[in-house]
Amino acid sequence: MNDAPLDTETPRAQGRERWPPPVLSGSGILLGSLLAAASLTPSLVPRDALMQGLVGGAVFAIGYAVAVAILMLWRWLELFEPSRRHSTPWAIAAALLGIAVVGFTLYKTTDWQNAIRELMQMPPVEGTHPQMVLGVAVGTAAAIFLVAYLLRRLIHFVAHRSRRVMPPRLALVIGLTAGFAFAVALVDGVLLRGAFAFLDSTYAALDRLMEPDQVKPTEPWQTGSTQSLVPWTTLGRDGRRFVDGITRQSDIEAFWGGPATQPRRVYVGLGSGDDAEERATLALEELKRVGGFERDVLLLALPTGTGFMDPGAIATLEYLHKGDVATVAAQYSYMQSPFALIFEPDAGAEAGTALMRIVYDYWTDLPHDARPKLYLYGLSLGALSSERSLRLRDVIGDPVQGALWVGPPFPSPIHTDITRYREPGSPEWLPSFEGGRLVRTMNQDSLTDPDAPWGPLRILYFQHASDPIVFFDYSLLWQRPDWMREPRAPDVVGTMNWYPIVTALQVAADMAVSTNVPRGFGHEYAAERHVDAWVTLTDPDVTAEEIARLKARFGE
């Protein structure tokens, strides 16, 4: 257990406990290298050298820390340790073995990354990829070790001072407690708060940005126009994009070769009201003003964290129903979804619940034969927020027609349940649930239970097996997920394997780059596949040939 040649001396040889613990550990280098090597293996989406190096360096530091912690506990318990004569060869051999394993995996990492890129029709990595990965990994590990060293010195200082008035081991506990408290205060009180303040100001400024090609609408029925209840400047950048990019009636008529209706899009930005309730009420009034309840289909949509609405998802629905569609959306944040989920975890659910309750209550009071079909929609964090807004006990007597939730994040409660209790034999990456009467799932190629009859409420999840935002789970730290067992999904490489701790960190890192892939992989959902989703949910009056033609149009 003792790494004498790298640790310079043994505690027993000195006849006393030695603190701080050794600076270098052969066992630490071995375990850190093994974990770092495992982190270079394929995961769900391709990673560039920067992200790969960050993950590798962080994993090496974690492995090193775990090994050193075990050695410290072993010595604390005063268990058997081999003599220096035996520990010296072990420490040197362990360090050399670890370095050799990392060298081999660095050599293989180009092939591994290119295998994922080939699957996703992306160009191969550069020839200098391994060297760049190594450089970033060394820098990352060095930065972590520097922080750990400073924290170690603090613990030693407190423990050394405390030994004057208490037993050595109790002093060590006091030192460790002080170091832990300082680290928590630094992270929570300084780093996280500072990060939130920086992100908040940055994304707020971006949200207010008036892009030169965005002009205030002139049509009275458009949100943001002079006649609108929602001022143009309060929509936010993505809200203005959504309103400005509305599908035009003339384009729909040109595609179908016949009459069509002008779709309606209502969007309420964060600056349009003081709270979720006020914004939802404003959205309802604007929806009434533009005639949204006179359309055949009404879509309650929740955007992603920044307020982004996927144009392909909405436009495909508008084309399928020949423009007889109204969409209403309410912004709840201007930060990217991961940051919004961390710093504003309840904002999306509050906005979704308010919008759902206020619009739904008005909708239920309308005559059944004179009201639109009501559907819910959300992408990414919007899917999670929309899912949380649907309280089945509240709508069971008069249910909405359905919901399309695309790329649902891993905390989504309904999605988690239907995956956990899926029918035997259906894979985790495309679960079938109770014959498909209430919930179905689809990916790039397949739809579960396509021929089964629907119940009164239709819920459809559109997900990619290569989407880490959907398939991350904390249990990846200690157990192999079912989606990595056979049969493997077609968009997940067969060379991806599960490793304790490492795979969880790999998939977590994949979330940051999950949109850096072509449409149809990762967290990028193709517009043409939304055609199939809306056909399944809304039963538009179109033929198979017309569906194929529409998919070809959006596929371009």
Side-chain angles (χ1 to χ4, degrees):
M1 292 297 295
N2 192 0
D3 296 337
L6 297 180
D7 298 341
T8 70
E9 60 179 345
T10 68
R12 299 274 176 79
Q14 300 297 315
R16 58 180 173 84
E17 281 189 273
R18 181 166 162 266
W19 181 262
V23 175
L24 290 178
S25 166
S27 299
I29 294 175
L30 175 61
L31 183 57
S33 297
L34 292 177
L35 295 185
S39 75
L40 297 176
T41 59
S43 56
L44 289 177
V45 295
R47 294 195 296 270
D48 58 20
L50 175 61
M51 182 58 69
Q52 185 70 75
L54 289 172
V55 174
V59 167
F60 176 85
I62 291 172
Y64 187 94
V66 168
V68 170
I70 293 173
L71 288 174
M72 288 172 58
L73 178 61
W74 189 271
R75 290 165 180 166
W76 175 275
L77 297 174
E78 298 185 353
L79 299 175
F80 169 77
E81 293 186 53
S83 66
R84 181 171 181 176
R85 180 169 60 88
H86 293 96
S87 62
T88 297
W90 156 250
I92 295 175
L96 292 177
L97 176 62
I99 294 172
V101 171
V102 169
F104 173 75
T105 51
L106 276 171
Y107 169 75
K108 294 288 293 181
T109 187
T110 297
D111 292 337
W112 288 331
Q113 286 299 311
N114 284 339
I116 310 176
R117 289 172 171 269
E118 182 179 359
L119 176 66
M120 298 186 178
Q121 302 171 7
M122 297 174 65
V125 297
E126 298 178 359
T128 58
H129 181 77
Q131 295 92 321
M132 296 170 64
V133 169
L134 179 60
V136 175
V138 170
T140 302
I144 295 174
F145 284 140
L146 176 61
V147 173
Y149 173 77
L150 296 176
L151 185 61
R152 173 174 170 264
R153 297 309 304 174
L154 173 64
I155 294 172
H156 174 58
F157 175 79
V158 175
H160 181 72
R161 295 283 181 175
S162 301
R163 283 180 181 178
R164 300 176 180 178
V165 295
M166 63 184 66
R169 292 191 177 183
L170 181 57
L172 178 56
V173 171
I174 297 297
L176 290 170
T177 303
F180 178 77
F182 175 79
V184 170
L186 179 64
V187 171
D188 183 54
V190 178
L191 297 181
L192 288 182
R193 293 180 188 273
F196 174 74
F198 172 77
L199 292 171
D200 185 67
S201 61
T202 301
Y203 283 110
L206 190 62
D207 190 62
R208 292 191 297 268
L209 180 65
M210 299 291 292
E211 296 176 332
D213 60 339
Q214 292 179 349
V215 181
K216 182 177 179 177
T218 57
E219 299 287 352
W221 49 264
Q222 284 189 278
T223 296
S225 65
T226 302
Q227 295 82 359
S228 174
L229 302 176
V230 187
W232 176 246
T233 56
T234 69
L235 296 183
R237 186 184 63 152
D238 283 309
R240 287 186 288 271
R241 286 177 174 176
F242 177 64
V243 170
D244 188 56
I246 189 169
T247 304
R248 294 292 173 174
Q249 179 180 351
S250 58
D251 293 333
I252 301 176
E253 290 175 339
F255 177 82
W256 290 109
T261 305
Q262 174 59 55
R264 296 290 193 261
R265 291 185 182 182
V266 171
Y267 192 98
V268 177
L270 269 179
S272 304
D274 293 333
D275 54 37
E277 195 82 10
E278 183 177 335
R279 291 189 291 271
T281 302
L282 179 61
L284 173 63
E285 295 304 317
E286 177 73 358
L287 190 62
K288 290 158 59 177
R289 186 191 73 83
V290 302
F293 289 96
E294 300 167 11
R295 294 295 184 268
D296 183 59
V297 173
L298 174 58
L299 186 67
L300 267 64
L302 285 179
T304 64
T306 61
F308 170 77
M309 291 285 294
D310 185 354
I314 306 303
T316 49
L317 178 65
E318 293 167 339
Y319 268 88
L320 278 170
H321 290 270
K322 300 180 180 179
D324 206 3
V325 176
T327 302
V328 56
Q331 185 182 17
Y332 52 87
S333 173
Y334 38 65
M335 290 192 285
Q336 288 189 339
S337 293
F339 300 129
L341 190 59
I342 294 171
F343 295 112
E344 302 173 316
D346 299 323
E350 290 174 359
T353 300
L355 184 65
M356 174 68 185
R357 187 185 71 255
I358 289 174
V359 174
Y360 174 80
D361 287 348
Y362 181 85
W363 177 78
T364 55
D365 289 337
L366 296 174
H368 284 216
D369 59 351
R371 70 185 187 185
K373 302 180 186 69
L374 182 59
Y375 295 91
L376 309 183
Y377 166 78
L379 165 66
S380 191
L381 187 55
L384 170 61
S385 302
S386 179
E387 183 183 295
R388 288 176 173 175
S389 75
L390 180 62
R391 300 183 179 183
L392 294 179
R393 65 178 183 273
D394 295 335
V395 303
I396 196 67
D398 192 7
V400 301
Q401 273 61 55
L404 174 59
W405 291 321
V406 182
F410 64 93
S412 304
I414 299 176
H415 182 263
T416 299
D417 283 345
I418 69 109
T419 302
R420 178 180 300 141
Y421 301 112
R422 65 189 182 275
E423 293 183 357
S426 67
E428 185 176 21
W429 46 269
L430 196 67
S432 178
F433 181 76
E434 295 186 353
R437 285 185 53 81
L438 174 63
V439 181
R440 297 180 189 179
T441 59
M442 62 176 287
N443 60 10
Q444 306 95 320
D445 307 307
S446 304
L447 169 71
T448 59
D449 308 296
D451 300 320
W454 279 105
L457 171 62
R458 304 179 178 188
I459 296 176
L460 179 60
Y461 285 101
F462 181 13
Q463 60 194 45
H464 296 154
S466 56
D467 188 347
I469 292 176
V470 177
F471 288 101
F472 175 81
D473 191 87
Y474 296 110
S475 64
L476 288 171
L477 288 166
W478 63 84
Q479 68 179 12
R480 181 188 181 94
D482 286 346
W483 53 263
M484 288 188 66
R485 305 181 192 278
E486 297 297 336
R488 187 71 65 93
D491 54 330
V492 176
V493 292
T495 50
M496 181 180 180
N497 293 307
W498 176 79
Y499 304 98
I501 301 175
V502 174
T503 301
L505 295 177
Q506 282 183 310
V507 177
D510 285 345
M511 289 193 284
V513 293
S514 60
T515 58
N516 297 345
V517 293
R519 290 272 178 168
F521 299 98
H523 204 53
E524 286 288 331
Y525 291 86
E528 61 268 27
R529 190 58 171 149
H530 281 84
V531 174
D532 297 314
W534 291 125
V535 168
T536 300
L537 276 180
T538 65
D539 289 330
D541 185 18
V542 292
T543 65
E545 291 77 12
E546 291 170 333
I547 292 172
R549 190 162 64 92
L550 185 61
K551 291 175 67 175
R553 182 210 181 280
F554 279 94
E556 297 172 356

